[in-house]
Amino acid sequence: MSADYVVPAQVITVETEVKKSRFITCISPAHSRQEAQAFVEEKRIEYPDATHHCSAFVAGAPDGGAVVGFDDDGEPSGTAGRPMLNVLQHKRIGDVVAVVVRYFGGVKLGAGGLVRAYSASVQQACEQLPLEQRVALRAGVLLCDYAHEQMVRHHLGQFHASLEQCDYGQSVKMMISMPETGKEHLARHLYDVSRGQIIIQWQDDV
């Protein structure tokens, strides 16, 4: 189970200039490789005449288990995408993609200069990036008889659990999700008030 972590709260764009080259950094939420790639393509369309569209992303928790990637997009290998990714990982931001759009200004920066420019561009953007807490959720399946349904719904609200789906058969089957930190308290409470008749089976993370 991954811990809670911070994620971008919105999309931002920050522009800097280094020796006449423009560096336009765009940061967005991205929960998968596909979402990150779609954002990169969006920026290619938005800035079609740019010299480079370098990118890096962390899809998932920054402390482990995330899908990561980067692209130098024509810059010398290791001078753009990897330094950008290093900044995102150092900031411990998850579910994030950064694109740095460069308009070459006529002055070559050299390998070291490029690393510093791309790193600094993402660093400055991250300092202005609004963040929010991504609360790790756990999904569960709850079975109860019809007599307990309203009582269960009431307690789900008290424990900040969301009812995602409810199916009716021989019993009531509820698909729920809630913050990881409170799931054992809810399960124990429902077990106690129903005298052992209500048990929640927790599923994979959501």
Side-chain angles (χ1 to χ4, degrees), residues 2-48:
S2 59
D4 299 349
Y5 54 91
V6 294
V7 299
Q10 66 185 61
V11 179
I12 69 163
T13 300
V14 177
E15 182 172 342
T16 59
E17 183 176 314
V18 179
K19 294 184 178 179
K20 298 184 179 180
S21 281
R22 293 173 61 202
F23 291 85
I24 305 169
T25 304
C26 310
I27 298 184
S28 170
H31 302 92
S32 66
R33 180 185 297 273
Q34 292 74 22
E35 286 188 20
Q37 291 174 338
F39 186 72
V40 176
E41 288 306 312
E42 179 183 314
K43 295 304 150 184
R44 290 186 186 277
I45 294 171
E46 185 176 349
Y47 302 97

